[in-house]
Amino acid sequence: MVSRVEIARILEGYSGRELTIGVLGTHSALEVSRGAKDEGFRTLVICQRGRERTYSRYYISRERFGRRVGIIDEVIVLDKFRDIVNEEVQEEIRERNTILVPHRGLCVYVGYEAIENSLNIPIFGNRYLLRVEERGGELNQYELLERAGIPHPRIFKDPDEIDGPAIVKVSEAARGYERAFFIVSSPREFEERSRELLERGLIKKEALDGAVIEELLIGAYFNFNFFYSPLDGEIELLGIDMRRQTNIDGIVRLPATQQLEALRYLEVRNIEVGHVACTIRESLLEGAFELAERFVRATRELCPPGVIGPFALQSVVIPGPPHEDIVVYDVSVRVPGSPGIKFTPYSEDLWGVQMSVGRRIALEIREALRRGMLEEVVT
């Protein structure tokens, strides 16, 4: 395991005045880079060959019309994202005094084991906590939510327990990091849908055996995007969003009769492709903050030093009775991949300016540098 002592030793060799904010070239790289530039840092994007043009061409720093445009100062192109673990690549990244900002792409393409044990680069946040987003293993989100006392959907341990609407969360056969969710309401329907998906090759038997079956809660969906600063112990709400998913978004826009006709030819998919910024009724905010406070305390107990920086509670607000309740069905402990949340009012209500997640990370690093506390915000 990469220790905090090793990372502290690397930081000692860095020049604080020449720090670079680095990020893998996918998911949230533009947001991270924009925020870093806003706070005066140099930026580095590590790309995979064939997927680099967004960063190396369209958003690279350059002169246009007598002004400096673009947000990316340097690009490193690798054959595969996972090549970032090669020592010569890591040395090239460290030579630039780089702090790496993790996002979902880093977890998917590089993997938790490599992040925890092989990536000798200072990472903003708690690298050891990233795997808590998964639903299996020793460190998982259900254990965290239970420890925190945060309401979450009921889990059916066996298909025979299904006694109402349930969502089955199983990995796709083609892309293990995407989930081929499907909805059932009885053990018989589970067997029928499972058999159909297996026969069509959309899922594999081993993935189905490890699937999670959750109670399907019907309500209004909100992703609460928070930020925890270990520098002063404060929690901030940076913004709220909801997901855009294909092809279910298109299906639900059809009248019910046309939905039934469309479903004769389409398989419902829940692949996340975008986000929409939104707001929530103000009286519900205190409850959301209370859940965030519990979450931070639980991460500190479960995986010291706990969450650092951005985290999200993906939630559904259900109607009660007696009153509306927030139930958390998913969590993340890194950049949420929703740059539009800065257009919600919550960060501006605190800071006086719209604050993206990328800029808030850069601001935390800048303040940690000023206080001589950089080791408190990286692992």
Side-chain angles (χ1 to χ4, degrees), residues 132-198:
V132 81
E133 295 188 22
E134 302 305 320
R135 292 176 169 82
E138 185 176 344
L139 183 64
N140 64 75
Q141 62 175 274
Y142 294 124
E143 181 182 356
L144 177 57
L145 292 172
E146 285 287 338
R147 182 174 294 225
I150 293 175
H152 62 83
R154 180 164 56 114
I155 308 300
F156 299 105
K157 295 182 179 180
D158 187 275
D160 290 337
E161 296 180 1
I162 299 173
D163 58 1
I167 183 166
V168 183
K169 297 183 174 181
V170 56
S171 297
E172 278 189 355
R175 298 177 296 178
Y177 57 87
E178 293 287 4
R179 295 185 175 90
F181 294 173
F182 60 96
I183 296 171
V184 297
S185 57
S186 66
R188 178 179 177 181
E189 193 172 352
F190 175 89
E191 293 300 325
E192 292 173 350
R193 292 289 291 125
S194 298
R195 189 183 312 113
E196 178 186 351
L197 293 172
L198 287 167

Side-chain angles (χ1 to χ4, degrees), residues 215-341:
E215 173 189 14
L216 180 65
L217 297 177
I218 305 300
Y221 290 87
F222 298 92
N223 296 338
F224 296 96
N225 298 283
F226 291 99
F227 190 98
Y228 175 70
S229 170
L231 300 181
D232 58 14
E234 288 207 23
I235 293 174
E236 307 161 27
L237 177 62
L238 293 181
I240 303 174
D241 71 283
M242 51 187 179
R243 295 178 172 186
R244 294 298 306 275
Q245 295 166 306
T246 186
N247 56 4
I248 193 169
D249 270 13
I251 292 171
V252 299
R253 291 170 186 268
L254 297 173
T257 53
Q258 293 181 9
Q259 285 182 24
L260 293 172
E261 182 65 19
L263 291 174
R264 293 174 56 194
Y265 307 98
L266 296 174
E267 182 68 42
V268 176
R269 308 295 296 278
N270 296 73
I271 307 302
E272 185 176 336
V273 292
H275 298 76
V276 179
C278 61
T279 60
I280 195 168
R281 197 179 74 205
E282 194 166 307
S283 61
L284 291 168
L285 286 177
E286 190 165 339
F289 273 107
E290 172 58 30
L291 297 182
E293 295 277 3
R294 295 183 196 175
F295 185 86
V296 170
R297 287 195 297 268
T299 61
R300 198 178 295 129
E301 295 170 2
L302 194 63
C303 186
V307 68
I308 298 170
F311 66 98
L313 302 180
Q314 298 173 19
S315 309
V316 55
V317 177
I318 57 176
H323 50 70
E324 295 81 11
D325 288 311
I326 299 172
V327 180
V328 176
Y329 64 87
D330 208 349
V331 304
S332 68
V333 287
R334 36 73 190 173
V335 184
S338 178
I341 64 173

Side-chain angles (χ1 to χ4, degrees), residues 318-363:
I318 57 176
H323 50 70
E324 295 81 11
D325 288 311
I326 299 172
V327 180
V328 176
Y329 64 87
D330 208 349
V331 304
S332 68
V333 287
R334 36 73 190 173
V335 184
S338 178
I341 64 173
K342 72 177 182 180
F343 299 112
T344 62
Y346 305 105
S347 64
E348 187 175 10
D349 288 344
L350 179 65
W351 291 99
V353 295
Q354 291 176 334
M355 183 74 68
S356 71
V357 177
R359 185 169 187 180
R360 184 62 188 86
I361 289 170
L363 180 62

